[in-house]
Amino acid sequence: MDGIYGANTEKAVKEFQKKVGIAADGIAGKQTYQALQKYVGTQTTVSQSNSSSSNDHWTGQTLREGSKGEGVKELQIMLNSAGYNVKVDGTYGHETEQAVKGFQKLAGISVDGVAGIQTYRSLKSYISSKMNKGIRIDISKRHRNCKERQRKKEKNN
């Protein structure tokens, strides 16, 4: 597994789509995710959001440092919408991991730097609540200040 949606992945998706009787177009979209869910019996969820944006739902991927691709770009866009200043490059590097950890801490969820369903749901909810209130805060500054205070504390101990 390399995290890249290449020819081998497209071929596998087409084979699966044929096997379950849906259009074999090689695109792992909503219908394919739902069929995969039923097929393997997992709890992978795809948002039923009414939003037209593809950036507000969980794709079924759990992303972590080293992940690459469109799913990572979507996560980075969501983090930016939440007030973090993350480069949108499709690479889940140290900067993205730190932003995820900062958000997880802020949201009161497990802080592991891994973006799975709980992180996506919390991000979506957070972004939605801020947009509904017309508020946008720069959490990255707050996170940096918090980290700076933590380093000073550790240095003094």
Side-chain angles (χ1 to χ4, degrees), residues 60-138:
Q61 292 178 286
T62 296
L63 303 171
R64 58 182 44 85
E65 192 164 13
S67 297
K68 295 181 188 309
E70 289 302 310
V72 176
K73 282 184 180 179
E74 290 180 8
L75 172 65
Q76 291 167 330
I77 290 167
M78 289 176 73
L79 287 165
N80 282 325
S81 294
Y84 290 85
N85 185 19
V86 179
K87 182 178 177 184
V88 179
D89 61 2
T91 300
Y92 200 121
H94 182 72
E95 179 185 48
T96 301
E97 182 185 45
Q98 291 306 305
V100 169
K101 283 181 176 180
F103 175 76
Q104 289 170 330
K105 184 174 182 178
L106 178 77
I109 59 176
S110 177
V111 179
D112 58 8
V114 176
I117 185 68
Q118 188 177 25
T119 300
Y120 276 90
R121 284 183 178 159
S122 296
L123 259 172
K124 181 178 176 183
S125 175
Y126 182 82
I127 293 165
S128 178
S129 71
K130 294 301 169 201
M131 292 176 106
N132 289 338
K133 294 177 184 173
I135 300 169
R136 183 180 168 119
I137 25 181
D138 185 356

Side-chain angles (χ1 to χ4, degrees), residues 10-51:
E10 184 177 356
K11 181 181 175 191
V13 169
K14 283 181 180 178
E15 288 174 7
F16 172 76
Q17 289 169 327
K18 286 178 188 173
K19 184 174 187 170
V20 297
I22 59 177
D25 58 4
I27 299 169
K30 185 175 180 177
Q31 186 179 23
T32 301
Y33 277 115
Q34 288 172 340
L36 187 60
Q37 256 184 302
K38 289 178 187 173
Y39 186 78
V40 296
T42 66
Q43 294 300 312
T44 304
T45 58
V46 176
S47 173
Q48 301 297 323
S49 172
N50 293 330
S51 171

Side-chain angles (χ1 to χ4, degrees), residues 49-63:
S49 172
N50 293 330
S51 171
S52 60
S53 169
S54 65
N55 297 326
D56 66 353
H57 68 276
W58 189 49
T59 63
Q61 292 178 286
T62 296
L63 303 171

